[in-house]
Amino acid sequence: IPSAFVTYGLSDDTTLRLSYARRIRRPGQSELNPFVVYRDELNLSSGNPDLQPSSTDSLELGVETKLGKVDTTVRLFMRNESDLINERRILLGNDVLLTTRENAGSARSGGLEFNFSGRATPQLMLRLNGNVNYSEQTVLGSATDDKRSATSVNLRGHVQYQPNPANSFTLMLNARGKTLFGEGYREPQRTANFNYRHNLTPALSLVVNIDDLFDSAKSETGTGTDRLREDSLR
């Protein structure tokens, strides 16, 4: 599992970093367990004890610096994955679907990652990270080894504004762009939660939480192979 890192200090606050790494992902316990689980009368699932680790080659070029008092990292990356551990669904008799895992296909991706952490002002605290990326993956179940691609923006964030010691407002963001899996894709998903805290006394606080602030929480997936098509919305 080789890796190599080269770091160059451009200034006291700015560092340039180039890295290469080869990583492996070993299958988890549930992915290996061959025991069949009956979810309902039409859906079964089981692991695959013959799974092998998947591997990833990653090349990254990043800059670590400060924007005011905010620690900032911006990184360009390219990744190539092989022997992916993918979900495979097999149509049995009587319209019963068996969901299992297998080593199949490959994927490649590239893009820009970012991370911001610190106090932008004495009242405003930021913790934001995410990426903009393009990915391409083999479509499982395709007789002609078709490729499926997606461009997505992903963001996780925590923004806190505290105008005075007694009051604080917090916004938590989670946005995931279109993502690919072996036989299909997941549509973009985004949620936002809000929190207000007011300290009545040193020992007593009033807290207000609003979950899914914009009523946007939903999960939508699409599966498309030569033998199976399914759309799911939750």
Side-chain angles (χ1 to χ4, degrees):
I1 312 177
S3 60
F5 302 86
V6 178
T7 301
Y8 182 75
L10 296 175
S11 68
D12 291 341
D13 293 332
T14 304
T15 300
L16 188 66
R17 200 181 304 276
L18 176 67
S19 65
Y20 163 79
R22 183 176 179 83
R23 295 288 181 258
I24 62 172
R25 174 189 176 277
R26 300 185 186 278
Q29 176 181 330
S30 61
E31 295 172 319
L32 292 168
N33 187 356
F35 188 78
V36 176
V37 176
Y38 292 77
R39 298 178 180 174
D40 54 50
E41 65 273 14
L42 296 178
N43 292 278
L44 316 178
S45 65
S46 71
N48 178 0
D50 295 322
L51 285 176
Q52 299 298 313
S54 63
S55 61
T56 301
D57 292 287
S58 176
L59 181 65
E60 300 179 355
L61 175 63
V63 176
E64 300 170 9
T65 187
K66 281 185 175 293
L67 295 178
K69 294 184 178 181
V70 178
D71 293 325
T72 302
T73 301
V74 179
R75 183 183 300 114
L76 293 170
F77 69 90
M78 292 187 300
R79 298 185 182 119
N80 188 64
E81 302 171 77
S82 58
D83 294 326
L84 289 174
I85 299 174
N86 270 318
E87 184 179 276
R88 167 79 82 176
R89 292 195 287 178
I90 302 168
L91 187 62
L92 306 177
N94 300 320
D95 295 329
V96 176
L97 274 176
L98 171 65
T99 301
T100 185
R101 299 286 191 276
E102 67 176 58
N103 292 105
S106 61
R108 61 178 182 175
S109 60
L112 177 73
E113 293 181 335
F114 53 86
N115 183 77
F116 304 98
S117 178
R119 289 193 177 275
T121 70
Q123 294 81 28
L124 183 63
M125 167 69 82
L126 299 176
R127 289 201 301 271
L128 300 171
N129 64 79
N131 62 68
V132 181
N133 76 84
Y134 170 83
S135 57
E136 185 178 271
Q137 185 173 324
T138 304
V139 179
L140 292 187
S142 169
T144 56
D145 290 330
D146 292 339
K147 301 285 187 181
R148 182 180 284 122
S149 63
T151 301
S152 62
V153 178
N154 304 285
L155 175 67
R156 291 176 63 89
H158 183 109
V159 180
Q160 184 180 64
Y161 178 66
Q162 188 171 10
N164 53 61
N167 296 280
S168 66
F169 304 86
T170 304
L171 182 65
M172 291 154 283
L173 305 169
N174 191 344
R176 184 184 66 196
K178 184 177 181 179
T179 57
L180 307 178
F181 59 91
E183 294 181 322
Y185 56 89
R186 293 180 180 87
E187 292 288 6
Q189 185 177 6
R190 58 190 66 87
T191 58
N193 299 324
F194 175 80
N195 169 275
Y196 167 67
R197 184 182 188 93
H198 176 67
N199 296 324
L200 300 171
T201 72
L204 181 65
S205 298
L206 170 68
V207 178
V208 177
N209 291 310
I210 303 176
D211 293 332
D212 193 17
L213 183 62
F214 303 112
D215 193 23
S216 58
K218 68 177 182 177
S219 175
E220 186 174 0
T221 62
T223 300
T225 71
D226 293 344
R227 296 192 177 198
L228 176 66
R229 179 164 188 95
E230 180 182 66
D231 295 293
S232 172
L233 174 62
R234 297 184 181 182

